[in-house]
Amino acid sequence: MPERRATMPPPSDIVKVAIEWPGANAQLIEIDQKKPLSSIIREVCEGWSLSGSEQFALRYADGPQLYITEQSRGEIKNGTILRLAISPTRAARQLLDRIQSHGIDARLEALKELAKLSADPTFATEFINMEGIGTLARLVESGTHFGEMLAFTLTAFLELMDHGIVSWDLISLSFIKQIAGYVNQPMVDVSILQRSLAILESMVLNSHSLYHRVAQEITVGQLIGHLSNQEIQTYAIALINALFLKAPEDRRQEMATTLAQKHLRSIILNHVIRGNRPIKAEMAHQLYVLQVLTFNLLEERMMTKMDPTDQSQRDIVFELRRIAFDGENDPIGTEKRKAMYTKDYKMLGFINHVNPALDFTQTPPGMLALDNMLYLAKLHQDTYIRIVLENSSREDKHECPFGRCAIELTRMLCEILQVGELPNEGCNDYHPMFFTHDRAWEEFFCVCIQLLNKTWKEMRATTEDFNKVMQVVREQITRALAMKPSSLEQLKSKLRSLNYSEILRLRQSERMSQDDFQSAPIIELRERIQPEILELIKQQRLNRLCEGSCFRKLGNRRRQEKFWFCRLSLNHKVLHYGDLDESPQGEVPFELLTDKIPVSDIKSVVTGKDCPHMKEKSALKQNKEVLELAFSILYDPDEALNFVAPSKYEYCIWTDGLCALLGREMGSDLTRSDLDTLISMEMKLRLLDLENITIPEAPPPVPKEPSSYNFTYNYG
């Protein structure tokens, strides 16, 4: 037999690719990454007898079809299909001339091509250097473009500006007026309206001076009017949020009042939350941002200390006492009652009986706690009086101190809802019930203070148990919020079911795997079961990787998101990935995923701040939410595939699956949770026959040997 020679792997700096040119057979070549790109392009041009190689460039044939530069050439993989195209400089010059031509059809085609090419940073740099953005701005300002032509013009403008090469501050007032005009007109094409709203949002977010100009041209009422149109709801709410976020502090409350007068909350509730379409991730994010910005209006009161010498502030405390003890007709400040103020304040549950104003000097919650108490006393007077009187009349040391509880509860609610913190870029955690009432915060407090009073009685707590009660109440509230109640009534229902007994039961159940089964035989059984369960979890993770997941590309505008998909081959040997135009509804076939990485090439998986894309993007480094969902695959030769998972669950699935592929330990929170749950279930099943039987700590003693072994059994 002839001797078989081992095939040597190709050098790491040699990449085998196919290069296409219209009307010609593709060239299959090996690119030497050490050679200048211009030399490679010249050789390709010579293969098709094309002169002037400096007028050409290489682009990817699939996906976004980006130009290849000296900086990006390292991303070319074996088997990639490239395309020879005119250089970005030549393309920019040609398109600049064509968009100014007199022929309408030719101009439309040029703008359509420009809208697509503008996403390419290499082309964008060349086009911008030729004053291309100024040309597009003048075309918009002229008011001569309509319909599809205008939509492509605005798309190209927005894509070019998004590269951050040109400052938004250079945009003229006439351009802003023209864009604002499209938003204010009653009958405008949806595509033009979407792009106009997106441009205005970018102006507000990226330029302090443009915020004021946009705020002068656009009224909140005009934006709210667009919320009935499902195609542009997200864009309209995003611009409202941007105006809200960038407004000076002294104008935010004024803007919030305007939004309330225009019934923004009820319109969002009826047309968005309760609309006939499911809420997509971007809309959920914008609702979350609006919720955060609305609650952040409370920050000023939350951080304002009460001035014990301010009579107007002290009058609010007097009012709380009057409503609880005097009734409507008994005037405040009579000599008869003044001597009893201290006793009344003690019954109200304040720590400082002589001067309760001192209870509100700690921030947070500051004056916000007093605001909440006054709202309860005036708007839910019967509830307020009942809570105060039923506790002030007790003599068994189990009275619930209303004042102290209300102050601590306000602080707790501020922590749970993160009042004063900026929105997280990757968070979609909005609560529908906060859009069901104009005074949602105050009503939420009123529900929770009744819960606290009820839980206090269920626990038969005393003053010494104050912190324990608050811990239980926090758990009740966070568990109820996690169920996403759609209304305050539904919240009350869920809190009723989460009484103290239920919390104890849930705690006991959750501690089962930790506190139970501590005897030596059970521990040994657990250790024997664990490898089987880990293998089961590993197979589930790998199966999920084979199904694949969709990831959002970083750095894109949210409403024009770009996606990519990644999945593991069925034989677990190759990771396939590729760009998508939109988020897929199901599994993406391997044929559509043009790029791949052999699992054998993967060196390691890194997470969080160690990821290459987290080191590069300083803005993202500040975003804790994004940082917690980031991970990267490092593979030969010194390459990285960067991910930001859409959720914590997907993050755990992928990091576990990749670690399993590399033969490493799966260390995510999800694995620990799954392991505890499955082991607990398996052990309970195996121990069913031993229920109510005490398992001894030590094995039973071996019986003595019999006196003889002369055993017989007569089968007859």
Side-chain angles (χ1 to χ4, degrees):
M1 290 181 64
E3 182 182 349
R4 296 182 65 182
R5 295 184 179 180
T7 56
M8 294 293 292
S12 59
D13 50 10
I14 299 295
V15 185
K16 296 181 179 181
V17 300
I19 302 180
E20 299 176 337
W21 175 253
N25 293 327
Q27 294 186 38
L28 302 176
I29 69 168
E30 293 184 352
I31 291 180
D32 186 348
Q33 294 285 36
K34 293 180 180 178
K35 289 177 66 173
L37 197 56
S38 56
S39 301
I40 296 168
I41 294 171
R42 184 168 59 251
E43 291 174 7
V44 172
C45 289
E46 289 171 356
W48 283 311
S49 302
L50 298 173
S51 58
S53 62
E54 66 279 358
Q55 297 293 318
F56 293 93
L58 292 176
R59 293 171 62 184
Y60 289 99
D62 301 312
Q65 300 181 4
L66 299 177
Y67 278 102
I68 293 167
T69 63
E70 288 289 355
Q71 291 73 33
S72 66
R73 62 186 292 179
E75 298 173 10
I76 302 173
K77 310 292 188 302
N78 279 315
T80 302
I81 301 175
L82 306 179
R83 180 175 296 159
L84 186 67
I86 60 173
S87 67
T89 306
R90 187 177 165 193
R93 173 54 61 194
Q94 288 182 1
L95 284 174
L96 195 56
D97 293 338
R98 287 167 59 196
I99 64 175
Q100 300 176 83
S101 64
H102 296 293
I104 294 179
D105 291 341
R107 199 186 310 169
L108 178 61
E109 281 302 311
L111 286 168
K112 186 176 181 180
E113 189 177 341
L114 177 63
K116 185 178 180 181
L117 269 176
S118 294
D120 188 310
T122 308
F123 170 84
T125 303
E126 298 296 336
F127 190 80
I128 290 170
N129 289 340
M130 296 175 187
E131 303 296 330
I133 285 183
T135 302
L136 291 177
R138 286 190 292 274
L139 290 176
V140 173
E141 291 168 16
S142 68
T144 56
H145 283 194
F146 304 97
E148 211 178 10
M149 190 177 291
L150 178 58
F152 286 132
T153 305
L154 296 178
T155 301
F157 178 86
L158 190 54
E159 290 283 4
L160 291 166
M161 291 300 296
D162 267 358
H163 292 293
I165 300 171
V166 177
S167 170
W168 282 93
D169 289 318
L170 300 176
I171 302 303
S172 68
L173 183 59
S174 58
F175 180 84
I176 297 172
K177 286 180 177 292
Q178 190 69 34
I179 296 296
Y182 298 136
V183 175
N184 296 335
Q185 288 175 18
M187 297 296 291
V188 177
D189 185 76
V190 168
S191 60
I192 293 172
L193 202 47
Q194 289 175 339
R195 288 155 179 78
S196 298
L197 289 166
I199 288 171
L200 292 172
E201 182 198 358
S202 292
M203 287 179 181
V204 172
L205 293 176
N206 290 288
S207 169
H208 180 69
S209 61
L210 290 189
Y211 158 76
H212 295 285
R213 293 182 182 178
V214 173
Q216 290 171 359
E217 299 295 329
I218 297 290
T219 66
V220 172
Q222 291 163 335
L223 294 176
I224 292 175
H226 290 304
L227 294 180
S228 57
N229 187 333
Q230 293 181 330
E231 299 296 328
I232 55 177
Q233 287 173 340
T234 309
Y235 295 83
I237 294 179
L239 181 52
I240 291 172
N241 284 338
L243 289 167
F244 208 158
L245 183 65
K246 294 298 180 179
E249 288 189 18
D250 58 339
R251 284 209 57 206
R252 283 181 194 165
Q253 192 63 56
E254 177 188 333
M255 186 175 174
T257 304
T258 305
L259 292 174
Q261 292 171 348
K262 298 291 183 181
H263 308 293
L264 173 66
R265 178 199 59 75
S266 60
I267 291 172
I268 288 176
L269 181 66
N270 295 323
H271 290 283
V272 180
I273 295 175
R274 294 177 180 171
N276 54 11
R277 280 190 180 186
I279 293 179
K280 294 183 178 178
E282 175 54 27
M283 175 59 85
H285 173 73
Q286 294 301 338
L287 292 175
Y288 154 77
V289 172
L290 183 59
Q291 173 185 292
V292 170
L293 295 177
T294 303
F295 283 147
N296 281 356
L297 294 171
L298 304 168
E299 184 181 13
E300 183 181 356
R301 294 293 285 173
M302 180 182 77
M303 300 308 294
T304 300
K305 296 181 179 181
M306 188 172 184
D307 182 359
T309 63
D310 188 324
Q311 187 59 44
S312 62
Q313 294 181 5
R314 293 172 65 186
D315 285 345
I316 301 175
V317 183
F318 293 157
E319 181 71 359
L320 290 174
R321 189 206 61 77
R322 185 193 68 76
I323 294 172
F325 301 115
D326 288 353
E328 292 294 333
N329 299 321
D330 195 352
I332 235 175
T334 61
E335 292 299 323
K336 180 181 178 181
R337 294 293 300 170
K338 276 187 177 180
M340 301 180 66
Y341 278 1
T342 300
K343 180 183 177 183
D344 289 348
Y345 289 142
K346 183 177 182 180
M347 289 194 295
L348 273 171
F350 289 111
I351 295 174
N352 295 281
H353 310 149
V354 177
N355 186 3
L358 297 172
D359 284 23
F360 300 96
T361 55
Q362 186 175 357
T363 58
M367 291 293 288
L368 184 59
L370 187 58
D371 295 342
N372 286 342
M373 294 163 73
L374 186 64
Y375 181 90
L376 175 70
K378 287 193 168 184
L379 275 296
H380 299 273
Q381 194 168 110
D382 291 345
T383 301
Y384 168 70
I385 293 173
R386 176 178 57 78
I387 291 174
V388 172
L389 294 186
E390 75 178 19
N391 286 290
S392 61
S393 60
R394 298 185 68 151
E395 297 182 357
D396 56 359
K397 297 184 179 180
H398 291 291
E399 68 276 2
C400 175
F402 169 75
R404 183 183 176 190
C405 287
I407 293 169
E408 187 58 35
L409 178 63
T410 302
R411 186 197 340 270
M412 180 197 297
L413 297 183
C414 289
E415 290 175 1
I416 291 172
L417 295 176
Q418 300 179 327
V419 175
E421 295 188 19
L422 288 175
N424 278 326
E425 175 67 20
C427 187
N428 303 335
D429 188 25
Y430 80 99
H431 295 279
M433 70 174 184
F434 291 130
F435 292 88
T436 63
H437 201 286
D438 289 328
R439 303 292 295 274
W441 166 264
E442 291 86 350
E443 289 294 322
F444 183 46
F445 168 83
C446 293
V447 171
C448 293
I449 192 70
Q450 293 177 73
L451 167 73
L452 197 159
N453 186 60
K454 174 172 165 284
T455 302
W456 186 284
K457 288 189 288 186
E458 290 173 350
M459 294 177 67
R460 293 192 55 77
T462 63
T463 308
E464 289 75 21
D465 301 316
F466 183 84
N467 291 332
K468 290 180 182 178
V469 176
M470 297 309 296
Q471 288 172 6
V472 172
V473 170
R474 176 186 280 270
E475 189 171 342
Q476 289 171 314
I477 294 170
T478 52
R479 285 182 184 273
L481 287 177
M483 300 178 202
K484 288 289 192 296
S486 59
S487 66
L488 288 162
E489 286 303 316
Q490 202 175 97
L491 173 69
K492 292 177 186 177
S493 173
K494 293 187 182 302
L495 288 173
R496 277 195 296 271
S497 64
L498 286 168
N499 55 35
Y500 180 53
S501 299
E502 178 64 9
I503 292 295
L504 288 179
R505 189 192 69 78
L506 290 170
R507 286 179 173 179
Q508 180 67 21
S509 174
E510 290 166 2
R511 279 199 302 262
M512 189 75 74
S513 59
Q514 300 171 10
D515 298 340
D516 291 356
F517 311 136
Q518 293 302 311
S519 64
I522 300 300
I523 292 173
E524 184 180 345
L525 176 61
R526 182 186 178 94
E527 290 172 353
R528 290 191 180 186
I529 291 174
Q530 185 162 315
E532 300 173 25
I533 302 298
L534 280 173
E535 183 61 27
L536 188 67
I537 294 172
K538 174 183 172 182
Q539 290 306 316
Q540 187 270 341
R541 301 294 193 263
L542 294 176
N543 289 341
R544 278 288 290 108
L545 263 61
C546 290
E547 293 172 13
S549 298
C550 182
F551 301 91
R552 184 169 64 88
K553 285 195 169 185
L554 292 176
N556 292 293
R557 293 185 310 283
R558 297 188 62 94
R559 277 156 312 292
Q560 294 187 6
E561 290 187 323
K562 295 181 180 177
F563 302 91
W564 65 286
F565 197 89
C566 186
R567 61 182 296 199
L568 179 65
S569 63
L570 299 180
N571 62 6
H572 299 174
K573 291 186 177 181
V574 180
L575 276 174
H576 297 263
Y577 65 97
D579 294 331
L580 300 175
D581 294 330
E582 57 184 20
S583 182
Q585 298 303 312
E587 198 172 89
V588 177
F590 288 111
E591 298 76 43
L592 297 181
L593 305 175
T594 55
D595 298 307
K596 57 187 179 181
I597 301 173
V599 172
S600 58
D601 286 353
I602 298 176
K603 297 186 203 173
S604 64
V605 177
V606 294
T607 60
K609 62 184 180 181
D610 294 325
C611 298
H613 55 322
M614 292 296 104
K615 294 175 181 176
E616 295 166 7
K617 297 180 180 290
S618 57
L620 289 170
K621 283 177 71 177
Q622 307 305 318
N623 192 326
K624 183 181 177 183
E625 188 89 16
V626 173
L627 203 60
E628 289 177 349
L629 300 177
F631 62 98
S632 296
I633 294 173
L634 306 182
Y635 61 99
D636 291 330
D638 299 324
E639 299 286 348
L641 183 62
N642 301 315
F643 300 73
V644 173
S647 65
K648 187 68 176 177
Y649 175 80
E650 288 291 331
Y651 170 85
C652 293
I653 288 289
W654 275 84
T655 51
D656 282 345
L658 292 169
C659 286
L661 277 177
L662 301 178
R664 295 172 189 169
E665 182 181 350
M666 299 180 292
S668 75
D669 295 339
L670 184 62
T671 290
R672 286 191 287 273
S673 173
D674 287 350
L675 185 63
D676 287 343
T677 302
L678 292 172
I679 285 181
S680 177
M681 289 172 60
E682 181 67 18
M683 291 183 68
K684 286 175 183 176
L685 286 171
R686 295 195 184 192
L687 297 173
L688 274 177
D689 293 337
L690 298 177
E691 194 169 357
N692 298 323
I693 296 177
T694 303
I695 300 173
E697 287 290 331
V702 178
K704 293 181 179 180
E705 291 189 17
S707 57
S708 72
Y709 288 89
N710 300 323
F711 306 148
T712 60
Y713 186 81
N714 186 357
Y715 286 93

PDB file of all heavy atoms in Angstrom, residues 223-238:
ATOM      1  N   LEU A 223     -46.620  64.564  19.712  1.00  0.00           N
ATOM      2  CA  LEU A 223     -46.051  63.215  19.800  1.00  0.00           C
ATOM      3  C   LEU A 223     -47.070  62.222  20.338  1.00  0.00           C
ATOM      4  O   LEU A 223     -47.158  61.089  19.859  1.00  0.00           O
ATOM      5  CB  LEU A 223     -44.807  63.232  20.695  1.00  0.00           C
ATOM      6  CG  LEU A 223     -43.608  64.025  20.164  1.00  0.00           C
ATOM      7  CD1 LEU A 223     -42.487  64.037  21.203  1.00  0.00           C
ATOM      8  CD2 LEU A 223     -43.100  63.435  18.863  1.00  0.00           C
ATOM      9  N   ILE A 224     -47.835  62.644  21.345  1.00  0.00           N
ATOM     10  CA  ILE A 224     -48.847  61.755  21.911  1.00  0.00           C
ATOM     11  C   ILE A 224     -49.880  61.380  20.864  1.00  0.00           C
ATOM     12  O   ILE A 224     -50.395  60.255  20.853  1.00  0.00           O
ATOM     13  CB  ILE A 224     -49.502  62.418  23.144  1.00  0.00           C
ATOM     14  CG1 ILE A 224     -48.479  62.517  24.290  1.00  0.00           C
ATOM     15  CG2 ILE A 224     -50.726  61.642  23.602  1.00  0.00           C
ATOM     16  CD1 ILE A 224     -48.982  63.248  25.510  1.00  0.00           C
ATOM     17  N   GLY A 225     -50.150  62.303  19.950  1.00  0.00           N
ATOM     18  CA  GLY A 225     -51.107  62.018  18.881  1.00  0.00           C
ATOM     19  C   GLY A 225     -50.695  60.867  17.984  1.00  0.00           C
ATOM     20  O   GLY A 225     -51.538  60.227  17.352  1.00  0.00           O
ATOM     21  N   HIS A 226     -49.392  60.583  17.937  1.00  0.00           N
ATOM     22  CA  HIS A 226     -48.891  59.495  17.079  1.00  0.00           C
ATOM     23  C   HIS A 226     -48.993  58.127  17.749  1.00  0.00           C
ATOM     24  O   HIS A 226     -48.726  57.107  17.105  1.00  0.00           O
ATOM     25  CB  HIS A 226     -47.422  59.751  16.707  1.00  0.00           C
ATOM     26  CG  HIS A 226     -47.250  60.909  15.757  1.00  0.00           C
ATOM     27  ND1 HIS A 226     -47.891  60.984  14.542  1.00  0.00           N
ATOM     28  CD2 HIS A 226     -46.498  62.040  15.859  1.00  0.00           C
ATOM     29  CE1 HIS A 226     -47.547  62.110  13.939  1.00  0.00           C
ATOM     30  NE2 HIS A 226     -46.705  62.769  14.708  1.00  0.00           N
ATOM     31  N   LEU A 227     -49.344  58.078  19.036  1.00  0.00           N
ATOM     32  CA  LEU A 227     -49.344  56.799  19.751  1.00  0.00           C
ATOM     33  C   LEU A 227     -50.468  55.866  19.325  1.00  0.00           C
ATOM     34  O   LEU A 227     -50.438  54.677  19.636  1.00  0.00           O
ATOM     35  CB  LEU A 227     -49.422  57.026  21.260  1.00  0.00           C
ATOM     36  CG  LEU A 227     -48.200  57.720  21.891  1.00  0.00           C
ATOM     37  CD1 LEU A 227     -48.398  57.893  23.380  1.00  0.00           C
ATOM     38  CD2 LEU A 227     -46.930  56.940  21.617  1.00  0.00           C
ATOM     39  N   SER A 228     -51.462  56.397  18.625  1.00  0.00           N
ATOM     40  CA  SER A 228     -52.546  55.535  18.140  1.00  0.00           C
ATOM     41  C   SER A 228     -52.123  54.727  16.918  1.00  0.00           C
ATOM     42  O   SER A 228     -52.787  53.764  16.548  1.00  0.00           O
ATOM     43  CB  SER A 228     -53.781  56.372  17.808  1.00  0.00           C
ATOM     44  OG  SER A 228     -53.460  57.365  16.843  1.00  0.00           O
ATOM     45  N   ASN A 229     -51.002  55.116  16.289  1.00  0.00           N
ATOM     46  CA  ASN A 229     -50.482  54.406  15.114  1.00  0.00           C
ATOM     47  C   ASN A 229     -49.451  53.378  15.573  1.00  0.00           C
ATOM     48  O   ASN A 229     -48.379  53.728  16.064  1.00  0.00           O
ATOM     49  CB  ASN A 229     -49.847  55.397  14.131  1.00  0.00           C
ATOM     50  CG  ASN A 229     -49.439  54.738  12.822  1.00  0.00           C
ATOM     51  OD1 ASN A 229     -49.150  53.546  12.772  1.00  0.00           O
ATOM     52  ND2 ASN A 229     -49.402  55.525  11.765  1.00  0.00           N
ATOM     53  N   GLN A 230     -49.763  52.106  15.412  1.00  0.00           N
ATOM     54  CA  GLN A 230     -48.886  51.049  15.928  1.00  0.00           C
ATOM     55  C   GLN A 230     -47.527  51.003  15.243  1.00  0.00           C
ATOM     56  O   GLN A 230     -46.559  50.508  15.812  1.00  0.00           O
ATOM     57  CB  GLN A 230     -49.583  49.694  15.792  1.00  0.00           C
ATOM     58  CG  GLN A 230     -50.811  49.558  16.688  1.00  0.00           C
ATOM     59  CD  GLN A 230     -51.469  48.206  16.566  1.00  0.00           C
ATOM     60  OE1 GLN A 230     -51.414  47.568  15.527  1.00  0.00           O
ATOM     61  NE2 GLN A 230     -52.119  47.756  17.634  1.00  0.00           N
ATOM     62  N   GLU A 231     -47.445  51.532  14.008  1.00  0.00           N
ATOM     63  CA  GLU A 231     -46.177  51.488  13.273  1.00  0.00           C
ATOM     64  C   GLU A 231     -45.150  52.469  13.836  1.00  0.00           C
ATOM     65  O   GLU A 231     -43.949  52.300  13.627  1.00  0.00           O
ATOM     66  CB  GLU A 231     -46.425  51.788  11.788  1.00  0.00           C
ATOM     67  CG  GLU A 231     -47.350  50.815  11.090  1.00  0.00           C
ATOM     68  CD  GLU A 231     -46.767  49.411  11.034  1.00  0.00           C
ATOM     69  OE1 GLU A 231     -45.531  49.285  10.961  1.00  0.00           O
ATOM     70  OE2 GLU A 231     -47.546  48.447  11.084  1.00  0.00           O
ATOM     71  N   ILE A 232     -45.617  53.512  14.511  1.00  0.00           N
ATOM     72  CA  ILE A 232     -44.679  54.551  14.968  1.00  0.00           C
ATOM     73  C   ILE A 232     -44.739  54.792  16.477  1.00  0.00           C
ATOM     74  O   ILE A 232     -44.083  55.700  16.978  1.00  0.00           O
ATOM     75  CB  ILE A 232     -44.920  55.886  14.220  1.00  0.00           C
ATOM     76  CG1 ILE A 232     -46.381  56.311  14.385  1.00  0.00           C
ATOM     77  CG2 ILE A 232     -44.531  55.786  12.769  1.00  0.00           C
ATOM     78  CD1 ILE A 232     -46.678  57.650  13.749  1.00  0.00           C
ATOM     79  N   GLN A 233     -45.498  53.964  17.199  1.00  0.00           N
ATOM     80  CA  GLN A 233     -45.611  54.133  18.652  1.00  0.00           C
ATOM     81  C   GLN A 233     -44.251  54.155  19.333  1.00  0.00           C
ATOM     82  O   GLN A 233     -43.954  55.031  20.150  1.00  0.00           O
ATOM     83  CB  GLN A 233     -46.436  52.989  19.250  1.00  0.00           C
ATOM     84  CG  GLN A 233     -47.920  53.048  18.977  1.00  0.00           C
ATOM     85  CD  GLN A 233     -48.624  51.794  19.455  1.00  0.00           C
ATOM     86  OE1 GLN A 233     -47.989  50.751  19.639  1.00  0.00           O
ATOM     87  NE2 GLN A 233     -49.923  51.875  19.668  1.00  0.00           N
ATOM     88  N   THR A 234     -43.415  53.179  18.988  1.00  0.00           N
ATOM     89  CA  THR A 234     -42.119  53.037  19.656  1.00  0.00           C
ATOM     90  C   THR A 234     -41.248  54.262  19.420  1.00  0.00           C
ATOM     91  O   THR A 234     -40.583  54.758  20.334  1.00  0.00           O
ATOM     92  CB  THR A 234     -41.400  51.773  19.158  1.00  0.00           C
ATOM     93  OG1 THR A 234     -42.284  50.671  19.258  1.00  0.00           O
ATOM     94  CG2 THR A 234     -40.151  51.496  19.981  1.00  0.00           C
ATOM     95  N   TYR A 235     -41.254  54.775  18.170  1.00  0.00           N
ATOM     96  CA  TYR A 235     -40.441  55.946  17.832  1.00  0.00           C
ATOM     97  C   TYR A 235     -40.925  57.174  18.614  1.00  0.00           C
ATOM     98  O   TYR A 235     -40.110  57.975  19.096  1.00  0.00           O
ATOM     99  CB  TYR A 235     -40.518  56.227  16.334  1.00  0.00           C
ATOM    100  CG  TYR A 235     -39.915  55.154  15.468  1.00  0.00           C
ATOM    101  CD1 TYR A 235     -40.635  54.019  15.113  1.00  0.00           C
ATOM    102  CD2 TYR A 235     -38.615  55.269  14.994  1.00  0.00           C
ATOM    103  CE1 TYR A 235     -40.080  53.031  14.320  1.00  0.00           C
ATOM    104  CE2 TYR A 235     -38.045  54.285  14.185  1.00  0.00           C
ATOM    105  CZ  TYR A 235     -38.785  53.166  13.862  1.00  0.00           C
ATOM    106  OH  TYR A 235     -38.226  52.191  13.069  1.00  0.00           O
ATOM    107  N   ALA A 236     -42.256  57.319  18.726  1.00  0.00           N
ATOM    108  CA  ALA A 236     -42.818  58.477  19.423  1.00  0.00           C
ATOM    109  C   ALA A 236     -42.484  58.440  20.914  1.00  0.00           C
ATOM    110  O   ALA A 236     -42.065  59.452  21.501  1.00  0.00           O
ATOM    111  CB  ALA A 236     -44.328  58.525  19.210  1.00  0.00           C
ATOM    112  N   ILE A 237     -42.647  57.267  21.550  1.00  0.00           N
ATOM    113  CA  ILE A 237     -42.331  57.154  22.983  1.00  0.00           C
ATOM    114  C   ILE A 237     -40.838  57.352  23.212  1.00  0.00           C
ATOM    115  O   ILE A 237     -40.421  57.967  24.203  1.00  0.00           O
ATOM    116  CB  ILE A 237     -42.800  55.792  23.532  1.00  0.00           C
ATOM    117  CG1 ILE A 237     -44.327  55.693  23.489  1.00  0.00           C
ATOM    118  CG2 ILE A 237     -42.319  55.594  24.973  1.00  0.00           C
ATOM    119  CD1 ILE A 237     -44.889  54.380  23.986  1.00  0.00           C
ATOM    120  N   ALA A 238     -40.007  56.866  22.273  1.00  0.00           N
ATOM    121  CA  ALA A 238     -38.550  57.040  22.408  1.00  0.00           C
ATOM    122  C   ALA A 238     -38.178  58.518  22.390  1.00  0.00           C
ATOM    123  O   ALA A 238     -37.308  58.958  23.153  1.00  0.00           O
ATOM    124  CB  ALA A 238     -37.826  56.300  21.289  1.00  0.00           C
TER     125      ALA A 238
END
